[in-house]
Amino acid sequence: MRTRPLKVALLGCGVVGSEVARIMTTHADDLAARIGAPVELAGVAVRRPAKVREGIDPSLVTTDATALVKRGDIDVVVEVIGGIEPARSLITAAFEHGASVVSANKALLAQDGAALHAAAEEHGRDLYYEAAVAGAIPLIRPLRESLAGDKVNRVLGIVNGTTNFILDKMDSTGAGYQEALDEATALGYAEADPTADVEGFDAAAKAAILAGIAFHTRVRLDDVYREGMTEVTAADFRSAKEMGCTIKLLAICERSADGSSVTARVHPAMIPLSHPLASVRGAYNAVFVESDAAGQLMFYGPGAGGSPTASAVLGDLVAVCRNRLNGATGPGESAYADLTVSPMGEVVTRYHISLDVADKPGVLAQVATVFAEHGVSIDTVRQQGKDGEASLVVVTHRASDASLSGTVEALRKLDTVRGVASIMRVEGE
């Protein structure tokens, strides 16, 4: 074993960063044995240096993150501060000054992953980011290494624990959205401002990363269709149960049937109770991968939190340190396929549409005619009427998003249609 330690700079010492530092200290001997050399925490960059950080030598704490990453003796920079800047500049500076990088920054990787990979390659350094998607769940490494010889066709996942907790609570208790969100906030699952989670921004960033790796194609955050879950109601869950389904906020990355394009999207969807993702409860994450040779795989576990995320960070740290000792680098960006990223309008799936209509003869025929005129085939129809008003629930066969949008626009023009109560996609057939 080499006696000279590999030096690590830690950017950020919040929930995740402090746990990374703790594990590096308490498991120092084990990490050294697995790597083949000791690892030493050489500096910790923070915004509030006066805060007491248990187990961290105060002499290591600094507010000058730039100076820390530019030190010539740093082997690995661990970035857990999040956001776009200053993280992007710090990571780039780390590469320029000879350090490899381990990051948990999903937003930055989804926006500028290609540029960061290019910088890492230019300077012969590693960029690892297992912790950026699904916390402790080993997912990125299996996709870019274990399945490197296979053809991945679809990645379907629950990649945000906050939204899954809320939807699970609505499903199991009949609670409304706001009531479930309030409970998630009280338990610490939701932030004071939950927008990034409930509006799908967090999941969209993760979908961009997953799609890029799975399909060897650059997929940026702007390429991902995003729809939040704030409009999901208790009535939607009742309808889902009548179909033998539940509702999840899903990140879906798919290769087209002819293999020439891919899509990436995030939105609420009904999935059959028989699908493995339907049983994912509470704040857990799970990702379902479909490939030619391996078939169907599911990765499941805690998707957030200090310890789970730190576990993923430390796994990357061990891999990067091993590479460093061997004078090698691990897998970089694989974007050779350069497939077209198709817009949401071309996505084909099933739909569940709930309409408020007049309760009189001929309404169903009018509605069915509109669907037929737009080339959307109906699978099932259910109608309930009372006192001149009725609810009409239509479940379609597979149709494109564009054709469904045209259908709904035409339905709204019918005098007998009082309103469109809800539209939800049906996935996981």
Side-chain angles (χ1 to χ4, degrees), residues 218-284:
R218 287 177 178 167
V219 180
R220 299 181 73 250
L221 181 58
D222 292 345
D223 296 321
V224 181
Y225 171 83
R226 178 194 55 78
E227 182 182 319
M229 49 158 280
T230 57
E231 301 301 317
V232 176
T233 66
D236 291 327
F237 273 100
R238 289 193 292 271
S239 293
K241 287 182 178 180
E242 290 173 356
M243 291 178 58
C245 292
T246 188
I247 299 171
K248 300 291 186 181
L249 184 75
L250 298 177
I252 304 170
C253 312
E254 290 181 304
R255 190 190 298 268
S256 63
D258 65 5
S260 65
S261 64
V262 298
T263 58
R265 51 197 165 102
V266 169
H267 53 71
M270 294 182 180
I271 58 172
L273 294 175
S274 58
H275 194 281
L277 291 178
S279 61
V280 178
R281 313 301 297 268
Y284 275 71

Side-chain angles (χ1 to χ4, degrees), residues 385-407:
K386 182 179 180 182
D387 298 329
E389 298 295 330
S391 173
L392 190 66
V393 175
V394 179
V395 179
T396 74
H397 287 291
R398 293 176 65 83
S400 72
D401 188 80
S403 62
L404 197 282
S405 296
T407 303

Side-chain angles (χ1 to χ4, degrees), residues 51-75:
K51 180 179 177 181
V52 176
R53 294 173 172 85
E54 186 177 350
I56 295 178
D57 184 346
S59 68
L60 298 178
V61 175
T62 179
T63 57
D64 194 344
T66 300
L68 178 60
V69 301
K70 288 183 176 180
R71 279 173 45 178
D73 63 337
I74 297 298
D75 295 289

Side-chain angles (χ1 to χ4, degrees), residues 1 24-34:
M1 178 185 292
M24 284 184 64
T25 302
T26 58
H27 295 181
D29 291 343
D30 285 340
L31 290 174
R34 294 165 191 171

